[in-house]
Amino acid sequence: PLESRTNGNDSKKFKGDIRGPSVPSRVIHIRKLPSDITEAEVISLGVPFGDVTNLLMLKAKNQAFLEMNSEEAAQNLVGYYSTMVPIIRHHPVYVQFSNHKELKTDNSPNQERAQAALRALSSSHVDTAAVAPSTVLRVVVENLIYPVTLDALCQIFSKFGTVLRIIIFTKNNQFQALLQYSDGASAQAAKLSLDGQNIYNGCCTLRISFSKLTSLNVKYNNEKSRDFTRPDLPTGDGQPTMEHTAMATAFMSSPYPGLAVPALPGALASLSLPGATRLGFPPIPAGHSVLLVSNLNPEVSDCLPTGCVYGDVMRVKILFNKKENALVQMSDSTQAQLAMSHLNGQRLHGKPVRITLSKHTSVQLPREGHEDQGLTKDYSNSPLHRFKKPGSKNYSNIFPPSATLHLSNIPPSVVEDDLKMLFASSGAVVKAFKFFQKDHKMALIQVGSVEEAIESLIEFHNHDLGENHHLRVSFSKSSI
């Protein structure tokens, strides 16, 4: 084939590159391309990071080589695509540095096509007008019952192409986002597929339109804005830095801190992209709501249900031969995901708790006449459930574990010292306390650490304060 005349024999080159050299080079090797790939699509992978100076297509092998104008541009490109697998027409493609330091190309017909595409694209910096009015989408999320984060949007929209930049904000009391793709075709495809879809069953509906903006200007990388092509951007003043958020929330192994990318049950289950497992969130299939909680301190397993601020615990089964493991059945898969993403890795009585999806789809109750020493408990009729009412405002109060707790349902006779003493009685160090100005039924209390807060929440949620008031405890998004 004509392609292989470049640089002698390409099959030698192919063997060399398959091991994935990690030495930076201006030349990028791209594999697993769809067979009907166009030059323009390959070039658009490079354009957001800098000028593309050469291109070699190996269509027969579903591969291509792309030469960038600088090593720095190539490094940004490879770094970005190592966390966000690029998707071209629903196919994940793989990107790595090539062993070649530059591309020497000949004048075969294929090469003339590549050069023509390069000229067309680099001069106009990807002419997307033909495909879509803009590469920037405006996204409004309606009926926002569960929180939606920048990372969740990134995960959903990356299925349709390379997301370069995202900004999220609230306008007219609505959650909105601006999202820029590397090319118009991706923006067009995402709009067609996602407009009108729900992120979660029955809520968080996406309304998508093309923005009048042609490009987004992002100054900071944090949980409100991100430029994936510029990992060097500061986090911005007054914003908790990403490291800080990551440490404070100690979430799962997501490369992006902030709230974990929730799995997308129901309507959008198909939207979790192949890179999702990289993000540490294998999507939870709808109907799966049983978690395996391990590394527990055996004393605390009884209080698991009281500690669940992320959903309603239906049943708990302590494993007979491994008392530090328990199966916990939540009322649906979204709640299971929220509990898993917020609590996995958090410390409880000195041990980091591990939470994974169980292969069981439900926790069986012991059969009549079989005694299981009280290891299985059924809470389906418990008065403690926080989420029984659909659309309950408790859904909007779901926050990551933090050292500050929100207390409510406090009776008038209970004063600040009573509550401080109560929390100190379990060994927590009370650092600060504040009643809400308008409403003394509510208060914030800050303890010594996230671990103390989780233990206090488990211990004192639903604690009887007298006068028929049971204390309600959840994590606060604000600090004192």
Side-chain angles (χ1 to χ4, degrees):
L2 284 166
E3 284 106 326
S4 62
R5 282 178 18 208
T6 315
N7 276 348
N9 185 343
D10 276 314
S11 58
K12 286 201 199 94
K13 173 188 300 184
F14 170 67
K15 282 198 190 74
D17 278 7
I18 198 74
R19 285 194 304 277
S22 49
V23 184
S25 154
R26 289 194 304 140
V27 180
I28 309 289
H29 179 209
I30 305 166
R31 297 179 292 125
K32 299 262 174 87
L33 288 164
S35 46
D36 52 350
I37 187 81
T38 65
E39 282 80 0
E41 283 172 301
V42 176
I43 296 166
S44 72
L45 289 173
V47 165
F49 300 91
D51 288 332
V52 178
T53 46
N54 211 340
L55 168 70
L56 171 67
M57 302 284 282
L58 303 178
K59 283 197 178 169
K61 291 209 169 82
N62 300 88
Q63 298 183 29
F65 290 88
L66 197 63
E67 182 187 273
M68 301 300 291
N69 60 335
S70 71
E71 210 168 276
E72 186 192 11
Q75 272 179 304
N76 280 345
L77 180 153
V78 172
Y80 171 61
Y81 290 131
S82 67
T83 57
M84 281 293 156
V85 179
I87 306 287
I88 296 182
R89 299 198 228 149
H90 301 288
H91 287 275
V93 299
Y94 296 94
V95 173
Q96 63 197 40
F97 292 116
S98 163
N99 288 331
H100 297 279
K101 291 295 171 210
E102 61 179 317
L103 284 181
K104 296 187 184 62
T105 46
D106 57 14
N107 47 12
S108 67
N110 288 319
Q111 211 33 55
E112 281 166 23
R113 263 216 324 274
Q115 294 305 319
L118 273 170
R119 281 194 299 275
L121 287 167
S122 48
S123 58
S124 67
H125 231 58
V126 184
D127 175 18
T128 51
V131 189
S134 167
T135 55
V136 180
L137 294 177
R138 178 167 159 264
V139 180
V140 176
V141 183
E142 293 175 351
N143 192 12
L144 189 77
I145 290 179
Y146 293 112
V148 173
T149 61
L150 185 147
D151 298 309
L153 291 175
C154 184
Q155 185 180 347
I156 294 164
F157 282 85
S158 293
K159 189 168 167 59
F160 300 92
T162 304
V163 176
L164 303 180
R165 298 173 190 92
I166 302 186
I167 299 170
I168 61 174
F169 53 96
T170 305
K171 186 177 172 187
N172 310 335
N173 274 341
Q174 278 184 317
F175 176 95
Q176 302 199 16
L178 289 167
L179 192 132
Q180 184 182 353
Y181 277 107
S182 63
D183 60 299
S186 301
Q188 188 87 297
K191 180 177 182 296
L192 282 171
S193 300
L194 296 176
D195 189 27
Q197 291 265 26
N198 293 338
I199 299 181
Y200 295 110
N201 285 340
C203 66
C204 300
T205 310
L206 295 167
R207 298 276 175 240
I208 302 173
S209 53
F210 286 108
S211 166
K212 295 189 179 63
L213 298 167
T214 50
S215 181
L216 298 180
N217 179 17
V218 172
K219 296 188 180 68
Y220 303 115
N221 282 339
N222 54 38
E223 48 274 28
K224 294 274 188 284
S225 63
R226 199 91 41 92
D227 184 336
F228 296 107
T229 67
R230 299 272 316 276
D232 53 317
L233 286 177
T235 53
D237 295 326
Q239 283 287 354
T241 64
M242 289 173 75
E243 285 77 11
H244 178 97
T245 336
M247 283 167 53
T249 51
F251 280 143
M252 300 167 76
S253 57
S254 165
Y256 307 121
L259 212 169
V261 179
L264 312 165
L268 287 199
S270 60
L271 292 184
S272 41
L273 79 180
T277 43
R278 273 173 195 278
L279 296 175
F281 307 102
I284 288 192
H288 280 255
S289 56
V290 180
L291 300 171
L292 172 63
V293 182
S294 51
N295 208 22
L296 277 171
N297 217 318
E299 295 82 277
V300 301
S301 42
D302 265 7
C303 19
L304 281 171
T306 49
C308 209
V309 271
Y310 299 113
D312 295 333
V313 173
M314 293 293 144
R315 290 178 183 168
V316 174
K317 185 186 197 79
I318 311 295
L319 301 192
F320 180 72
N321 47 0
K322 287 185 84 172
K323 299 275 194 293
E324 65 281 3
N325 290 0
L327 292 174
V328 177
Q329 181 177 343
M330 306 297 289
S331 71
D332 64 40
S333 58
T334 304
Q335 293 182 3
Q337 183 75 44
L338 287 165
M340 180 163 90
S341 53
H342 284 77
L343 295 172
N344 182 49
Q346 295 288 356
R347 297 182 77 79
L348 191 55
H349 297 289
K351 296 166 76 169
V353 176
R354 295 273 158 257
I355 304 182
T356 53
L357 183 60
S358 164
K359 53 181 188 298
H360 298 282
T361 49
S362 68
V363 170
Q364 297 298 318
L365 291 176
R367 293 202 298 279
E368 279 306 307
H370 283 67
E371 181 46 62
D372 79 341
Q373 301 166 344
L375 293 176
T376 308
K377 297 203 168 56
D378 186 10
Y379 296 99
S380 39
N381 299 319
S382 157
L384 296 179
H385 290 169
R386 303 176 184 224
F387 301 99
K388 275 215 288 276
K389 292 203 279 296
S392 146
K393 71 176 190 306
N394 287 326
Y395 278 116
S396 53
N397 294 328
I398 291 177
F399 301 110
S402 72
T404 306
L405 294 166
H406 179 278
L407 311 180
S408 58
N409 204 26
I410 302 166
S413 61
V414 169
V415 296
E416 177 172 336
D417 279 354
D418 299 331
L419 289 162
K420 282 180 169 167
M421 298 263 292
L422 176 68
F423 278 76
S425 70
S426 71
V429 179
V430 177
K431 295 224 165 146
F433 181 93
K434 186 171 100 193
F435 272 115
F436 277 59
Q437 250 169 335
K438 295 194 199 59
D439 186 358
H440 267 223
K441 291 191 194 112
M442 295 199 278
L444 294 178
I445 188 164
Q446 185 186 341
V447 293
S449 66
V450 173
E451 183 177 358
E452 283 183 14
I454 295 174
E455 289 167 11
S456 303
L457 183 145
I458 288 174
E459 179 120 0
F460 299 120
H461 178 63
N462 213 44
H463 181 82
D464 189 350
L465 292 173
E467 303 173 48
N468 208 3
H469 281 67
H470 287 77
L471 182 65
R472 300 185 74 82
V473 185
S474 56
F475 295 114
S476 167
K477 67 170 175 204
S478 36
S479 46
I480 303 174

